[in-house]
Amino acid sequence: MLESRLPEKKDQIMTTTSSAASSKDKIVIFDTTLRDGEQCPGASMTYEEKLEVAELLEDMGVDVIEAGFPIASQGDFEAVQEIARRAGDVTIAGLARAIPGDITRAAEAVRVAKRPRIHTFVSTSPIHLAHQMKKTEEQVLDIISATVAQARNLVDDVEWSAMDATRTPIDYLIRCVDAAIKAGATTINLPDTVGYAVPEEYAAMFRRIVEAVPNSDKAIFSTHCHDDLGLAVANSLAGVAGGARQIECTINGLGERAGNAALEEVVMAIRTRGDFYPYRTDVETPMLTRASKLVSAVSAFPVQYNKAIVGRNAFSHESGIHQDGMLKNAETYEIMTPESVGVKATSLVMGKHSGRHAFREKLKELGFELGDNALEDAFKRFKDLADRKKHVYDEDIEALVGDEVATANERIRVLALTVIAGTGGPAKAIISLDVDGTHVTKEVTGNGPVDATFNAIKAIVPHEAKMSLYQVHAVTEGTDAQAEVSVRLEEDGKSVTGRGADPDTMVASAKAYISAVNKIMIKRQRQHAQAVSA
Ligand code: KIV
Ligand code: ZN
């Protein structure tokens, strides 16, 4: 009966003592936000954003960061290499198809890491072999042996994945896993690439493979589940029950199609139901909310309000009965504390009379460490905001600092914006920009205030990029809330996302649009520099 397994006190669920923790099996958390997550349409991140996400993932205690697919582009290669160079104890993986050139490139990118890993994969299911690879089973077995051996000659830590494992006949999958382990693979990943498996079946597949492959104890088994049927987290946990000890997952469940297993859900399920699961992870769960916000902002993928763990409503209680219960005892309707995932009670911060010291302390509390100049800039912006907005909340400060980080090194800045809009005709925007130190002003009309503002920017900074996303979020509640705007621009098949925050939605929109244009300019400069040095 479920009740008999529930601990009497919530604290027993929430705190794991070190002796209890050490008796539990460690689950390796392999984060693929920067690879599987980033490769999903529209979620592309810039070089700087990837470094920022990787740094947070390492601070949060994930064990492996799959930093990208080095052969995919020069940009991917450079980001993986820089993440590898900056990494401490975290393992940095680079993805490679079962192609010698891919493997060499992945090795070049990750080799500078303290703990480098090559992750190589090949399809094993009949449908992939017949239609995509046009290879026989025997040919694929030879490819596995050769490519895993090649990778193993380059690094000691090699992960091999059987793409579409869950639609592969088990006897053939056993032969593939056997070949990969014999060739030197240290991790064997069996992905549910198309999100087709159900938990009992996925667990059974691991049990059977672990039991049938002679040297299965020489490798760690791994799950990698897509969420097409909404079963990615359940399948990952079932895979662990079947013998896997690594879970591949992404922040906010970002990833191809319906996404991957969400890291925050997997980790909190293991932690909250520690009475049931004899496993542990090393993830610092109070950092989950920050990671979710960062990934949502840089990818411009909003988090649904009722998303487990990190959704805005995940810890809010609306119905009268629930509120009544919560007031009497929080355990009536809460299985985890908001603090355990980094949600703090929304606190009213400082007003316009607060000083630098208090502001610096608040930033520290929110996890931001700024240098003196950045702190001074952020403080000025905070003062401006406090003049315009009655209540300044933690979320406002996070948006303000995020905006500050995003706008550093930009060549174009908004100096002033006036927008005239309403029922009486086309909207008009008068904008002044600082472009590389020169001030330029334009007055342009448009079909509504946003269109007029963007047309005015385009009149000053002409470009051919197409806008594929315009998204507005209120940072807090109330009509004076700051607007956080994301704008995605696409040029030459590549996309960039700009962000801007301001209590005035039009100013936030202009900042976001300009931030995206700045990123396009940085990309062009990089490509130009590469072409010149080639
Ligand atoms: O879903 C999948 O099969 C993958 C592999 C590359 C591991 O992402
Ligand atoms: Zn995948």
Side-chain angles (χ1 to χ4, degrees), residues 35-36 193 224 226 256 260:
R35 199 280 297 167
D36 209 317
T193 304
H224 178 111
H226 281 270
E256 284 279 4
N260 289 65

Side-chain angles (χ1 to χ4, degrees), residues 13-24:
I13 315 176
M14 292 172 185
T15 50
T16 325
T17 61
S18 50
S19 61
S22 60
S23 67
K24 294 185 165 198

